Amino acid sequence: MHMRCGIDEQLDRGIIRLSNLIAARETIIMATGRDRNDDEKLRLLHHRLKLVKENKEVVERYLRPLRSLEHFLI
C-alpha cells in the first residue's frame, strides 16, 4: 500500500502549480506597471494556495499515524 502516491502528493503538485501561477501573475503585473494590491486574480491565487496548504496540513496530520503502520500492511 503506497499512501505517498495519494492525496498528499496531489496537494504537493497543487502547491507547486499555484506558486508558479502566482509568480507568473506577479511578473505580468510588474511588466505592465499595475498595482499588485489591486489585482483580483492574484488575491484569488494567494487564497487558493493558502487553502491547499491548510488541506495538506490536515492530510499530513491524519496520514502520519497511518504511515507508521504501512509496513504491516505490505
Side-chain angles (χ1 to χ4, degrees):
M1 187 170 188
H2 299 285
M3 289 184 210
R4 180 67 186 143
C5 295
I7 188 73
D8 54 341
E9 186 173 293
Q10 292 173 18
L11 290 168
D12 285 340
R13 286 193 306 261
I15 288 170
I16 292 168
R17 186 176 66 81
L18 284 167
S19 297
N20 289 337
L21 287 171
I22 288 169
R25 188 73 188 171
E26 288 178 343
T27 301
I28 291 168
I29 290 168
M30 288 187 329
T32 58
R34 293 183 7 217
D35 183 4
R36 69 186 304 273
N37 294 322
D38 291 335
D39 192 81
E40 183 63 32
K41 287 183 183 178
L42 184 60
R43 281 195 301 274
L44 180 62
L45 288 171
H46 277 289
H47 177 69
R48 286 181 179 170
L49 180 60
K50 179 182 173 197
L51 291 176
V52 171
K53 285 181 177 181
E54 288 172 357
N55 286 339
K56 182 168 174 54
E57 289 174 13
V58 169
V59 166
E60 287 177 343
R61 182 172 53 231
Y62 289 104
L63 286 182
R64 189 172 296 130
L66 295 176
R67 286 196 182 110
S68 64
L69 300 174
E70 186 176 8
H71 67 280
F72 292 117
L73 299 173
I74 296 176

